[in-house]
């Protein structure tokens, strides 16, 4: 074993660590030295979103000590940034150890003289974002690894607007966390009187806020028996989704029993992610048996939502994140206009890799549509920037994230479920399904089809291989894709847009990010984005074509699918 790793292990065995952690390390020394090396070969990085990693002993794992050191660094920065009494809110999901990590975080903040509002039990991430604003906090933390497998946990840090950390605070907090070199620098206890347990009163305020988002409560009254199937996939959604749907007025809600109990082992799934059809299979089966109108699933911390609807043949299909966003954005723009509550300064926000179909119908409806970098924190940042000047309605991203209204600043699957069900009721009152509505939107605005592939490069040189792939595309962009000229290259790392036909350049007014986008003459868009945390690169494909009538949907869809396959082949992926 590497000498540096051996020294780290020795430090933990002789230092101020609990005996049970030391016992686990000794066990690994004999039973699994490879895993021990992985647990200590580096420090678990506190990135711009916080911590995320496997649970266990070691500097490269989620445990009491890595969480405590991160909290001490964050506490130091909060106290520097806000003179006077600092307040934070803390929540957690259903994962194994999430309560323990939340309590550890609360104790460290409290020992630093910070006032802590700790939720009594598991709560959805969006409620944590809401509570920061509602309780007048300067920061917050939620202990969750979102939709990762059961072996993982994480720690997301928030700022006083209820959004995740953005510049300059993200890098500044990282700097403070990196200054904590020893567990002995952490204030572990001594301020318990600073901790206040919260629960029902915040729930009630949050529920009232979600109820205020409804555009057509009268339509729900008429269609109250809309048949809804919902799965929380063993997560926090069970705490609020059934209650919200009841308060909205829906009377025919069926919760998937096998996945209704919060459980950090996620016994019915491999990945507790509504993007995965396997995770939604129980809901799909129940929806088919009940002949439901809509099925919905939320991930463990209830910030992502997936939906299923019946297609033209009466078969249940899962919509992707782009299709869900198209329906939600369009409903809020259309229904507000129809009801007479649209404002001239209404705006919507999406990420640069989310379907451009939203830009098209927003423009045609006279609504400003802004594009930001991938990551919901950038949507939150734009809402903050435009506050008081423009009226934010909805934001979203292709990875199953939506935020309706501006009373919190992170993606919110709880309010999204309510609005998506209202939307289904609205369409049903017009005599059509959500799928039929989607096809009509394709006829009205053009048929946009998206596809995503992730390529993992394993091994020690995985990151280098991905870096080399990005450089190749950056320096030698493809000249044609699927027979259409590549006319524009957007390089978000260099913050430059280049017209490849004229070599004319213009600035990109977004923060620097290692993303490339190629746009072809016929309007196809391909985005390349490496992961910042693992040896993986994602390619997003978006192609479009006119759809003259609904009856031609399957034919045009097949043509677009083949086009994407040709582009993938042309890029040698």
């Amino acid at each position: 074993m590497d000498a540096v790793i051996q020294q780290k292990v020795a430090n933990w065995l002789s230092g101020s660590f609990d005996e049970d952690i030391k016992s686990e390390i000794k066990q690994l020394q004999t039973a699994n030295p490879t895993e021990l090396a992985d647990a200590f070969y580096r420090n678990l990085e506190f990135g711009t979103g916080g911590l995320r990693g496997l649970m266990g002993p070691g500097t490269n794992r989620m445990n009491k000590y890595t969480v405590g050191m991160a909290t001490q660094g964050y506490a130091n920065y909060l106290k520097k940034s806000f003179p006077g009494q600092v307040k934070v809110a803390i929540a957690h999901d259903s994962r194994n150890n999430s309560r323990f990590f939340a309590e550890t975080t609360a104790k460290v903040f409290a020992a630093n003289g910070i006032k802590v509002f700790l939720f009594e039990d598991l709560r959805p991430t969006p409620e944590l974002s809401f509570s920061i604003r509602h309780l007048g906090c300067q920061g917050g933390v939620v202990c969750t690894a979102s939709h990762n497998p059961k072996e993982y946990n994480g720690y997301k840090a928030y700022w006083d607007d209820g959004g995740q950390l953005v510049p300059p605070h993200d890098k500044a907090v990282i700097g403070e966390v990196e200054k904590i070199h020893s567990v002995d620098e952490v204030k572990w206890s001594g301020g318990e009187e600073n901790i206040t347990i919260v629960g029902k009163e915040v729930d009630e305020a949050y529920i009232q806020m979600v109820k205020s988002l409804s555009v057509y409560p009268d339509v729900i009254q008429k269609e109250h028996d809309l048949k809804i199937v919902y799965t929380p996939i063993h997560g926090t959604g069970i705490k609020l989704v059934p209650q919200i749907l009841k308060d909205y007025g829906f009377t025919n809600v069926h919760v998937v029993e096998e996945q209704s109990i919060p459980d950090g082992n996620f016994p019915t799934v491999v990945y507790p992610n509504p993007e995965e059809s396997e995770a939604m299979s129980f809901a799909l089966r129940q929806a088919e048996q009940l002949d439901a109108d809509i099925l919905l699933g939320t991930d463990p911390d209830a910030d992502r939502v997936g939906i299923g609807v019946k297609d033209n043949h009466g078969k249940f299909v899962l919509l992707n994140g782009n299709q869900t966003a198209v329906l939600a954005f369009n409903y809020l723009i259309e229904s507000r206009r129809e009801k007479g509550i649209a404002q001239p300064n209404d705006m919507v926000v999406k990420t640069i890799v989310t379907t451009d179909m939203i830009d098209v119908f927003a423009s045609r409806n006279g609504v400003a549509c802004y594009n930001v970098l991938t990551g919901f924190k950038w949507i939150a940042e734009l809402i903050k920037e435009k506050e008081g000047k423009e009226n934010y309605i909805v934001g979203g991203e292709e990875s199953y994230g939506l935020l309706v209204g501006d009373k919190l600043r992170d993606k919110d699957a709880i309010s999204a479920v309510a609005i998506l069900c209202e939307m289904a009721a609205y369409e049903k009152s017009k005599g059509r399904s959500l799928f039929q509505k989607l096809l009509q939107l394709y006829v009205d605005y053009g048929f946009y089809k998206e596809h995503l592939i992730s390529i993992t490069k394993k091994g020690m040189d995985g990151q280098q291989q991905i870096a080399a792939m990005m450089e190749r595309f950056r320096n030698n962009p493809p000249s044609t894709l699927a027979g259409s000229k590549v006319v524009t290259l957007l390089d978000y790392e260099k913050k430059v847009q280049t017209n490849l036909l004229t070599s004319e350049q213009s600035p990109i007014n977004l923060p620097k990010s290692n993303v490339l986008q190629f746009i072809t003459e016929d309007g196809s868009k391909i985005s390349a984005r490496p992961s910042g945390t693992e040896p993986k690169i994602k390619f997003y494909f978006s192609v479009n074509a006119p759809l003259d009538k609904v009856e031609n949907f399957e034919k045009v869809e097949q043509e677009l699918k083949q086009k994407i396959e040709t582009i993938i082949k042309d890029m040698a992926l």
Side-chain angles (χ1 to χ4, degrees):
M1 193 183 287
D2 180 277
V4 176
I5 297 174
Q6 284 181 338
Q7 187 56 56
K8 279 187 176 182
V9 172
N11 291 346
W12 275 53
L13 288 173
S14 62
S16 312
F17 295 87
D18 294 344
E19 285 306 315
D20 58 344
I21 282 267
K22 291 180 180 179
S23 171
E24 280 186 72
I25 292 169
K26 286 173 186 169
Q27 214 173 351
L28 284 172
Q29 279 181 317
T30 52
N32 199 336
T34 306
E35 189 181 323
L36 183 69
D38 189 68
F40 280 94
Y41 86 96
R42 63 170 191 157
N43 292 343
L44 185 64
E45 186 186 353
F46 191 98
T48 54
L51 297 169
R52 188 175 295 189
L54 292 164
M55 290 180 279
T59 59
N60 187 34
R61 294 286 185 265
M62 280 289 296
N63 52 61
K64 172 184 173 180
Y65 301 99
T66 51
V67 165
M69 290 168 77
T71 304
Q72 185 63 55
Y74 185 26
N76 291 348
Y77 184 69
L78 281 166
K79 289 172 78 175
K80 279 182 185 177
S81 303
F82 299 100
Q85 178 67 67
V86 177
K87 296 185 284 186
V88 298
I90 300 172
H92 67 86
D93 70 1
S94 59
R95 285 178 178 274
N96 297 332
N97 295 315
S98 280
R99 182 70 192 177
F100 172 65
F101 292 147
E103 289 176 347
T104 301
T105 302
K107 285 174 187 170
V108 173
F109 274 132
N112 280 276
I114 290 171
K115 173 81 176 155
V116 176
F117 297 102
L118 173 65
F119 276 95
E120 63 189 0
D121 192 6
L122 72 164
R123 286 299 189 280
T125 288
E127 188 175 0
L128 182 275
S129 175
F130 173 82
S131 69
I132 290 170
R133 300 170 68 81
H134 179 68
L135 298 168
C137 296
Q138 285 70 48
V141 169
V142 61
C143 295
T144 176
S146 192
H147 53 281
N148 279 53
K150 64 182 180 182
E151 296 80 12
Y152 287 78
N153 215 316
Y155 174 112
K156 279 196 232 179
Y158 290 77
W159 202 241
D160 65 346
D161 66 332
Q164 290 185 53
L165 301 176
V166 293
H169 307 301
D170 53 356
K171 296 289 197 297
V173 170
I174 290 168
E176 289 294 332
V177 171
E178 287 173 349
K179 287 179 192 173
I180 309 296
H181 296 297
S182 161
V183 295
D184 297 324
E185 295 172 56
V186 179
K187 294 176 183 173
W188 292 103
S189 60
E192 283 74 16
E193 70 281 359
N194 290 321
I195 300 173
T196 300
I197 302 298
V198 296
K200 297 284 186 288
E201 63 280 20
V202 181
D203 293 346
E204 189 50 44
Y206 174 79
I207 287 167
Q208 290 306 316
M209 180 278 295
V210 176
K211 282 172 73 175
S212 75
L213 301 173
S214 176
V215 182
Y216 273 115
D218 50 323
V219 170
I220 296 172
Q221 297 280 303
K222 185 184 163 200
E223 300 290 347
H224 67 89
D225 62 344
L226 184 85
K227 210 175 283 182
I228 301 164
V229 169
Y230 167 67
T231 174
I233 315 179
H234 307 291
T236 59
I238 195 66
K239 280 285 179 186
L240 289 175
V241 168
Q243 183 64 51
I244 293 273
L245 290 175
K246 184 182 174 189
D247 287 1
Y248 255 57
F250 291 109
T251 57
N252 198 358
V253 178
H254 304 262
V255 176
V256 176
E257 198 178 319
E258 298 93 332
Q259 298 179 322
S260 65
I261 296 169
D263 188 338
N265 292 313
F266 309 117
T268 63
V269 297
V270 178
Y271 295 99
N273 184 356
E275 291 182 75
E276 303 281 342
S277 55
E278 180 242 3
M280 298 286 274
S281 60
F282 282 85
L284 273 165
R285 197 176 311 130
Q286 193 162 331
E288 282 164 2
Q289 286 166 357
L290 293 169
D291 190 30
D293 293 299
I294 185 171
L295 72 91
L296 308 102
T298 54
D299 66 342
D301 67 325
D303 63 353
R304 293 176 181 221
V305 61
I307 71 170
V309 296
K310 277 183 283 192
D311 68 11
N312 279 351
H313 307 290
K315 180 177 181 261
F316 264 95
V317 291
L318 297 175
L319 300 186
N320 62 40
N322 283 300
Q323 291 170 318
T324 305
V326 161
L327 284 167
F329 276 60
N330 182 78
Y331 174 70
L332 287 160
I333 290 172
E334 267 190 7
S335 63
R336 285 168 55 79
R337 189 189 63 217
E338 187 180 86
K339 190 130 189 219
I341 58 172
Q343 304 294 317
N345 63 344
D346 281 349
M347 70 165 193
V348 297
V349 192
K350 60 182 263 298
T351 65
I352 57 173
V353 296
T354 303
T355 179
D356 289 342
M357 184 174 171
I358 291 170
D359 302 74
V360 173
F361 64 69
S363 172
R364 282 209 218 155
N365 284 279
V367 173
C369 180
Y370 293 97
N371 283 268
V372 297
L373 295 176
T374 307
F376 225 89
K377 63 182 183 177
W378 300 114
I379 294 176
E381 180 71 354
L382 192 84
I383 298 171
K384 188 177 181 180
E385 184 192 314
K386 300 286 182 183
E387 210 162 12
K389 293 174 272 189
E390 295 186 43
N391 183 45
Y392 170 84
I393 306 170
V394 62
E397 58 186 5
E398 49 71 44
S399 55
Y400 290 58
L402 290 168
L403 172 61
V404 182
D406 65 354
K407 296 299 184 285
L408 59 119
R409 300 296 164 85
D410 204 356
K411 49 187 179 280
D412 181 0
I414 307 294
S415 59
V417 165
I419 289 296
L420 291 167
C421 288
E422 177 177 309
M423 182 173 74
Y426 178 84
E427 294 305 330
K428 192 173 184 182
S429 75
K430 301 276 187 188
R432 63 188 170 207
S433 69
L434 283 179
F435 193 81
Q436 287 167 330
K437 175 63 176 177
L438 182 63
L439 298 197
Q440 189 55 52
L441 291 175
Y442 288 153
V443 172
D444 294 344
Y445 300 110
F447 185 176
Y448 284 71
K449 186 170 178 64
E450 282 77 28
H451 182 65
L452 168 68
I453 60 172
S454 287
I455 297 171
T456 301
K457 296 287 186 182
K458 291 186 176 172
M460 293 181 72
D461 63 343
Q463 296 284 17
Q464 288 95 322
Q465 286 183 55
I466 287 167
M469 192 184 288
M470 285 296 284
E471 279 311 296
R472 173 167 63 85
F473 282 125
R474 183 170 272 122
N475 298 325
N476 299 293
S479 55
T480 62
L481 290 170
S484 181
K485 271 186 197 170
V486 178
V487 293
T488 307
L489 168 64
L490 292 98
D491 189 334
Y492 292 86
E493 181 76 19
K494 295 179 179 175
K495 297 177 67 167
V496 170
Q497 176 174 318
T498 306
N499 181 321
L500 297 175
L501 303 181
T502 64
S503 298
E504 189 183 336
Q505 294 190 327
S506 55
I508 295 173
N509 297 313
L510 289 174
K512 189 185 283 192
S513 182
N514 190 17
V515 179
L516 292 173
Q517 287 186 322
F518 309 108
I519 299 172
T520 65
E521 208 162 32
D522 64 2
S524 298
K525 182 162 83 174
I526 298 88
S527 310
R529 186 176 76 90
S531 166
T533 55
E534 49 190 334
K536 184 185 283 186
I537 183 168
K538 288 184 174 181
F539 289 90
Y540 304 79
F541 304 88
S542 177
V543 296
N544 64 86
L547 182 63
D548 59 346
K549 54 185 179 181
V550 165
E551 290 73 20
N552 287 335
F553 165 70
E554 284 166 9
K555 174 178 170 283
V556 176
E557 184 182 43
Q558 193 54 38
E559 288 166 2
L560 291 176
K561 190 180 171 191
Q562 284 171 349
K563 188 171 192 174
I564 290 170
E565 287 168 5
T566 305
I567 291 171
I568 293 170
K569 204 177 289 180
D570 288 350
M571 293 179 73
L573 297 176

